[in-house]
Amino acid sequence: MQILFKLTLILSVTAILFLTSCGSKTNKEGRYIPSNAAFVLHMNGESLHAKLPWEEIKQNELFKQIYIDSTFPVILKSVMDNPENTGIDVKNDMLVFVMKDSSGGYVAVEGTIKDAAKFKQFNNSINESPVTETEKDGIHFLSSLNITASWKEEKFVMVMDAPELKDFKNMQGTYVDSTTISPRIKKDLNAIATDIFLLKENKSLGKEEKFTDLMKTNGDVHFWMNIEALEPGSSDLPGMAALSMVNLKKMYEDSKLTGTVNFDNGIINVDFTTYSGKEMTKLINKYSGDKINSEMLKRISSKNVAALFALNFKPEGIREYLKLLGVDGFANMGTAFLGFNLDDFIKANKGDILLAVSDLVQDSSGKLDFSALFSASIGDKPSFDKLLQAGKKLGNEKFNDSLAPSIFYNMNEKYFVIGNKKQDIDKFTATSNNNNNEFFDKLTGSSSGAYINFQYILKSMRADAKRDSLENVMYDASLQMWEDLIYKGTDMKNGGTSMRMEINLIDKNTNSLKQLNKYLSIMGAVQMKQRDKYKINAVDTTDAVVSLNSD
């Protein structure tokens, strides 16, 4: 009986430990990052290295041009030969985070040391200012003017002073230009590094559930933005004193943005999640939109869509949002001047918005022509008529059948549409068209969506004869690289709003990180050649001036 009891106890404890570990709300990545960090970037070294080995990076043209530059420091060439010459385990995770404070802030880099001697040599070599080496409580420090490299056992923390984070202000709060030297207090970077090593877990992002959810998401790169920590107060910004009565804090209070980037074959996937404070989340839950109006999409008569944005929302949420900010009274005063009120505006809109740009044409001189239209679904017709009359009042005599020589509008019982091509505006209101562009299916079913057709835009620019040979190299590289972008908003999940952005590439068989390496190599090499070309031209011009002066 006792054996059975002990066996049951062991199995129960094992099950509890298993379930606890599976559903853990903690994470190891944020263990040494303060919970109020403004920005965090996490790079999955193992995944990134597998997708783009260093030997492949060494083959790109830009890398080769930099490597043969005689002015490039020897220590950095050693790193270019092999990044492990830094002493850092580059195949392990790397983290960068930003902290803001009253004097600006600091940037910290964290990772794993593979060779402490190489790490020490590397940091001694890259510092232009004298380096002081110290050790305290098992933590080693290499300190210079504005940076400290520290390590304890296998973990390293590099801390860099970043006074520019103080919104380009000096300590007294007055704005300065580039000719002004701003006095500031020098940070004790060793103390900051020590605090990071001694950070308690409950004060770190290791205990932050949202950060844990982010780290559980499979990805090559993760990022975390604490909007509340980044957002300056209105009094800190020039010309913002007039908004001191607006409760802007409600917009970013307890607000976070997280993201995961994956470099897959032929596509770059970016998944976002936004979190808001309690009051904003309540509004979003109650008034978030349903689905994009697919009929509006199909009313676009052109098959040559360059860019599109569509949104569905609940107009009633506008009133509650303005109340939360404390500006509903101002909104009613402003609309009353135009002959309607906030209720009219809300009733006038049914909650569908569409913006589209299509039919790009570029002539031999480089001038670009296009069709642009904006449409909104009509709710209450009498209320919408009030808005239309207000628009005419603002436009004065110019606002009749055409708002301006190249701006037109039309409407039917369901939609109002305005744009620069009358035939497209009239087609939109006259018939449902049932024009089903291929990308429509990727947008419908969500409350918001966007589309950019890179291929169509680039091909429309082909007629530009002003490009030189180097610019044509960049143009051809872009044409062979980018296909389109799809953005799609999704539903609320775990207290946050999820979104996905897909950047599709032409080559579907190669992972997008390798393609980016090749593309950026071409673009960077061309930029260097253009710089060299400019320098040569500048020398020629100088020689000509000297010759003229001599004569």
Side-chain angles (χ1 to χ4, degrees):
M1 193 64 155
Q2 287 183 345
I3 295 175
L4 182 59
F5 174 76
K6 289 180 180 180
L7 181 60
T8 303
L9 181 61
I10 291 171
L11 290 174
S12 299
V13 171
T14 303
I16 291 170
L17 290 174
F18 175 77
L19 292 171
T20 302
S21 63
C22 290
S24 175
K25 296 181 180 179
T26 62
N27 64 87
K28 62 181 179 64
E29 292 85 359
R31 175 62 185 85
Y32 295 99
I33 301 176
S35 58
N36 58 337
F39 176 80
V40 181
L41 180 69
H42 167 256
M43 292 164 284
N44 186 330
E46 183 179 5
S47 173
L48 292 171
H49 182 80
K51 290 184 176 181
L52 182 61
W54 189 254
E55 289 303 315
E56 193 165 326
I57 296 175
K58 291 170 68 173
Q59 299 308 310
N60 78 46
E61 185 62 31
L62 179 60
F63 186 102
K64 292 177 180 178
Q65 288 192 32
I66 295 173
Y67 191 85
I68 63 175
D69 187 343
S70 59
T71 64
F72 205 65
V74 175
I75 182 63
L76 294 183
K77 284 190 176 181
S78 172
V79 174
M80 292 176 73
D81 285 329
N82 184 359
E84 290 190 348
N85 287 332
T86 59
I88 296 172
D89 185 355
V90 295
K91 295 181 183 179
N92 213 322
D93 288 358
M94 292 274 287
L95 291 133
V96 180
F97 70 88
V98 176
M99 285 289 296
K100 287 190 67 176
D101 57 33
S102 59
S103 63
Y106 67 84
V107 178
V109 181
E110 297 181 355
T112 304
I113 285 184
K114 191 171 185 177
D115 188 320
K118 286 184 178 180
F119 184 75
K120 180 179 175 180
Q121 180 185 7
F122 170 72
N123 282 281
N124 278 322
S125 301
I126 62 172
N127 276 296
E128 296 179 358
S129 55
V131 177
T132 303
E133 183 176 353
T134 57
E135 186 269 334
K136 185 178 180 181
D137 298 329
I139 304 174
H140 302 265
F141 302 93
L142 294 173
S143 309
S144 60
L145 184 61
N146 294 315
I147 183 170
T148 283
S150 62
W151 71 96
K152 183 177 182 181
E153 297 174 351
E154 294 183 347
K155 182 176 181 59
F156 78 85
V157 177
M158 299 178 70
V159 181
M160 291 154 278
D161 193 8
E164 56 273 9
L165 292 174
K166 191 176 167 58
D167 305 318
F168 307 103
K169 297 191 303 182
N170 66 9
M171 286 172 50
Q172 285 72 40
T174 57
Y175 284 83
V176 295
D177 58 32
S178 59
T179 62
T180 305
I181 299 176
S182 303
R184 61 183 179 85
I185 299 172
K186 187 180 183 306
K187 288 184 172 66
D188 186 342
L189 300 180
N190 284 17
I192 292 174
T194 301
D195 288 342
I196 293 172
F197 278 108
L198 300 178
L199 186 65
K200 293 182 178 179
E201 188 173 18
N202 61 356
K203 298 290 185 181
S204 76
L205 284 176
K207 281 285 190 178
E208 168 59 64
E209 292 183 28
K210 296 181 180 67
F211 192 79
T212 299
D213 289 340
L214 174 65
M215 290 298 106
K216 284 181 178 178
T217 306
N218 182 50
D220 299 317
V221 176
H222 299 93
F223 61 87
W224 164 276
M225 292 179 66
N226 184 340
I227 308 300
E228 187 172 13
L230 284 168
E231 187 70 28
S234 60
S235 60
D236 292 334
L237 299 175
M240 293 291 284
L243 291 178
S244 59
M245 291 183 290
V246 180
N247 194 359
L248 292 175
K249 188 177 181 180
K250 293 292 184 182
M251 293 176 61
Y252 55 81
E253 187 175 43
D254 203 24
S255 180
K256 309 289 190 302
L257 170 66
T258 71
T260 302
V261 184
N262 278 291
F263 299 101
D264 298 319
N265 283 2
I267 187 172
I268 303 171
N269 283 312
V270 187
D271 291 293
F272 301 95
T273 302
T274 60
Y275 300 94
S276 300
K278 184 177 180 180
E279 292 180 87
M280 280 294 295
T281 300
K282 185 177 178 181
L283 283 181
I284 294 170
N285 282 330
K286 187 174 182 180
Y287 296 108
S288 59
D290 186 15
K291 295 179 181 179
I292 292 171
N293 188 328
S294 58
E295 185 193 353
M296 289 180 77
L297 299 180
K298 294 178 180 180
R299 282 178 173 268
I300 300 172
S301 58
S302 176
K303 282 284 187 181
N304 299 318
V305 177
L308 178 146
F309 172 76
L311 172 70
N312 176 267
F313 66 100
K314 293 179 180 176
E316 299 84 0
I318 297 173
R319 180 192 297 106
E320 300 306 315
Y321 180 70
L322 293 175
K323 282 183 180 179
L324 185 64
L325 297 181
V327 296
D328 51 318
F330 291 107
N332 272 314
M333 288 172 60
T335 54
F337 173 77
L338 296 173
F340 64 94
N341 57 37
L342 190 56
D343 285 341
D344 290 325
F345 182 84
I346 292 169
K347 287 192 296 183
N349 287 279
K350 194 173 181 180
D352 301 299
I353 286 177
L354 173 67
L355 175 65
V357 177
S358 63
D359 301 311
L360 306 183
V361 178
Q362 189 174 35
D363 60 27
S364 57
S365 67
K367 184 179 179 180
L368 187 67
D369 189 28
F370 58 90
S371 174
L373 66 83
F374 170 83
S375 178
S377 59
I378 299 172
D380 180 67
K381 192 70 162 51
S383 296
F384 197 92
D385 288 339
K386 288 184 181 181
L387 268 61
L388 188 59
Q389 292 304 315
K392 290 182 178 181
K393 180 179 179 180
L394 286 175
N396 296 320
E397 292 82 9
K398 291 183 180 179
F399 203 123
N400 41 49
D401 288 338
S402 64
L403 309 181
S406 58
I407 303 297
F408 308 91
Y409 78 93
N410 203 339
M411 61 190 299
N412 56 27
E413 292 300 312
K414 297 175 69 175
Y415 304 111
F416 170 83
V417 60
I418 184 172
N420 66 332
K421 301 292 183 181
K422 190 175 188 304
Q423 65 271 24
D424 293 337
I425 303 305
D426 292 342
K427 285 180 181 178
F428 190 96
T429 55
T431 174
S432 61
N433 288 317
N434 202 28
N435 183 9
N436 193 15
N437 281 286
E438 291 182 3
F439 66 89
F440 286 173
D441 290 340
K442 296 182 179 180
L443 300 182
T444 54
S446 62
S447 60
S448 63
Y451 171 76
I452 301 176
N453 189 336
F454 297 127
Q455 276 294 291
Y456 176 65
I457 294 171
L458 287 166
K459 288 178 179 178
S460 300
M461 298 166 60
R462 186 183 291 276
D464 190 353
K466 297 180 180 180
R467 288 192 295 265
D468 62 22
S469 58
L470 291 176
E471 289 173 332
N472 278 325
V473 170
M474 297 172 72
Y475 171 81
D476 290 337
S478 298
L479 189 63
Q480 295 170 31
M481 176 74 172
W482 308 106
E483 184 176 28
D484 60 28
L485 178 150
I486 298 285
Y487 160 84
K488 186 174 181 178
T490 57
D491 298 330
M492 294 284 291
K493 182 180 179 181
N494 297 328
T497 303
S498 299
M499 299 156 282
R500 163 162 280 212
M501 182 171 69
E502 300 175 359
I503 302 174
N504 294 292
L505 310 181
I506 297 297
D507 181 355
K508 306 298 182 186
N509 300 316
T510 308
N511 81 61
S512 52
L513 189 58
K514 288 188 176 185
Q515 294 191 56
L516 274 176
N517 171 57
K518 182 179 178 180
Y519 177 75
L520 294 175
S521 165
I522 294 171
M523 304 302 274
V526 168
Q527 289 287 342
M528 291 185 71
K529 288 179 181 178
Q530 286 180 326
R531 181 198 63 186
D532 295 340
K533 181 180 177 181
Y534 174 79
K535 285 181 178 179
I536 292 171
N537 291 338
V539 171
D540 291 344
T541 303
T542 303
D543 291 343
V545 172
V546 171
S547 176
L548 286 171
N549 288 339
S550 299
D551 294 341

